[in-house]
Amino acid sequence: MTRSFTFLVNPASGGGAAPGAVVPVARLLREAGATVDVTYSPGPRAMPGLVAAAVERGDVVVSVGGDGMLSSLAGVVAAAGGTLGVLPAGRGNDFARMLGLPDSAEGLAELLLTGTPRRIDLLCASFPGGPPREVAGSVYCGVDARAAALVDRAHRLPRRLQYPLAAVGALLTYAPARYRLRVDEDERELEAATVVVANSAFYGKGMRIAPPASVTDGLLDVVVIEAASKAALVRSLPKVYDGGHVDLPEVTVLSGRRVELRADPSRAGGRPVPVGGDGEPLGALPGLAGDPLVVEVRRGAVAVVC
């Protein structure tokens, strides 16, 4: 039976690369006899209706864009009981890297046509009083969220330099915060530069931030980089690309199914500690006296062709 597809495209992804990326894949699928519908710039309010209609038709819903676009679709597709496809066309494409997706249009088209869907985990992040939000790859607080914001403003730089320079810039201007972290029943307080709650091993355009992470094990991997000198953090940055940073004394790795996070930002000049998820800003961490940000794993939440 030939599959049918609904492509939802974020035209701004990858500095405008997404519309060009979809053309050869869609052409190959149509030449193979598949039905392909393409919608550009659907917007978050339109997505649930578009996804529901696509799932009712039996289409695979294909995310065309970066990790943020994928995250915004994954929970919607999961709620509709559909199947998700991924055409990576962003700046980082870290979740596609985690799934081991092909780089070529031919490989992606073949995978979409013949690949077997498998169920993967998602993260669910909930701020006090706010609606839950699904995230595919990772939720991060502190320096990493600041670096992601710098990447968003780095459009004039070559794409290969955007993430490394943003990471260095964020490290050189960071101030640590006091975090209260609870992973399942393990609660601790620590002074840290960043805390990452990971489903995927990768973020930041290929940084292997959480080497043990798996998208099918039903666990969250929590990586804490404790406060250190700015020079030491910058020197250790290359180790993140191969996962070697986890052997450093200032790095702690934990795992569990539920994570609670609060922070005292007084050491950081009183500024709230920013939180991001898959390249998108999510908000700021609650203070130590408030209810926490809660991140939980949704095991096998969505079927993905990969």
Side-chain angles (χ1 to χ4, degrees), residues 62-155:
V62 183
S63 169
V64 185
D67 293 317
M69 177 66 171
L70 171 61
S71 274
S72 68
L73 266 178
V76 180
V77 174
T83 298
L84 182 66
V86 181
L87 199 169
R91 283 178 290 190
N93 300 323
D94 286 298
F95 205 73
R97 183 176 288 108
M98 185 66 184
L99 296 177
L101 300 186
D103 294 328
S104 68
E106 293 79 8
L108 287 166
E110 179 65 21
L111 177 65
L112 289 170
L113 286 168
T114 65
T116 301
R118 63 169 171 147
R119 303 203 70 85
I120 66 166
D121 305 337
L122 295 176
L123 308 177
C124 183
S126 302
F127 286 89
R133 176 165 176 175
E134 284 81 13
V135 176
S138 60
V139 173
Y140 39 82
C141 317
V143 169
D144 297 348
R146 293 188 65 195
L150 290 175
V151 169
D152 282 341
R153 300 196 294 268
H155 298 292

Side-chain angles (χ1 to χ4, degrees), residues 209 222-226 236 244-253:
I209 186 64
V222 183
V223 180
V224 181
I225 301 178
E226 297 186 40
S236 66
H245 64 291
V246 298
D247 296 323
L248 297 173
E250 60 266 28
V251 177
T252 300
V253 181

Side-chain angles (χ1 to χ4, degrees), residues 21-32:
V22 76
V23 171
V25 177
R27 176 178 54 80
L28 289 166
L29 293 175
R30 288 176 176 134
E31 289 175 353

Side-chain angles (χ1 to χ4, degrees), residues 7-299:
F7 282 68
L8 298 181
V9 186
N10 180 359
S13 291
V22 76
V23 171
V25 177
R27 176 178 54 80
L28 289 166
L29 293 175
R30 288 176 176 134
E31 289 175 353
T35 301
V36 179
D37 180 77
V38 180
T39 298
Y40 292 90
S41 191
R45 291 186 178 180
M47 279 188 187
L50 292 169
V51 169
V55 171
E56 187 175 351
R57 291 193 301 268
D59 291 2
V60 175
V61 179
V62 183
S63 169
V64 185
D67 293 317
M69 177 66 171
L70 171 61
S71 274
S72 68
L73 266 178
V76 180
V77 174
T83 298
L84 182 66
V86 181
L87 199 169
R91 283 178 290 190
N93 300 323
D94 286 298
F95 205 73
R97 183 176 288 108
M98 185 66 184
L99 296 177
L101 300 186
D103 294 328
S104 68
E106 293 79 8
L108 287 166
E110 179 65 21
L111 177 65
L112 289 170
L113 286 168
T114 65
T116 301
R118 63 169 171 147
R119 303 203 70 85
I120 66 166
D121 305 337
L122 295 176
L123 308 177
C124 183
S126 302
F127 286 89
R133 176 165 176 175
E134 284 81 13
V135 176
S138 60
V139 173
Y140 39 82
C141 317
V143 169
D144 297 348
R146 293 188 65 195
L150 290 175
V151 169
D152 282 341
R153 300 196 294 268
H155 298 292
R156 295 184 179 182
L157 290 173
R159 288 174 63 181
R160 64 184 178 84
L161 297 178
Q162 290 172 359
Y163 280 94
L165 290 180
V168 171
L171 289 172
L172 289 176
T173 57
Y174 98 101
R178 188 74 183 174
Y179 289 85
R180 182 175 296 157
L181 168 68
R182 184 181 182 93
V183 181
D184 291 343
E185 301 306 314
D186 180 358
E187 182 169 288
R188 57 186 75 190
E189 287 197 14
L190 36 83
E191 196 169 87
T194 193
V195 178
V196 182
V197 183
N199 183 37
S200 166
F202 297 100
Y203 80 163
K205 199 178 176 71
M207 295 181 184
R208 199 177 185 93
I209 186 64
S214 164
V215 295
T216 58
D217 65 356
L219 291 173
L220 306 171
D221 290 86
V222 183
V223 180
V224 181
I225 301 178
E226 297 186 40
S229 74
K230 294 175 182 179
L233 288 172
V234 171
R235 285 197 303 270
S236 66
L237 185 60
K239 294 180 181 291
V240 183
Y241 283 92
D242 64 8
H245 64 291
V246 298
D247 296 323
L248 297 173
E250 60 266 28
V251 177
T252 300
V253 181
L254 306 167
S255 65
R257 291 178 171 81
R258 176 185 168 93
V259 176
E260 297 180 4
L261 276 164
R262 304 175 179 88
D264 175 4
S266 58
R267 280 288 307 277
R271 292 183 297 174
V273 176
V275 182
D278 287 353
E280 302 294 327
L282 299 183
L285 277 186
L288 296 183
D291 293 331
L293 164 66
V294 176
V295 185
E296 298 177 286
V297 64
R298 294 184 58 204
R299 186 163 195 174

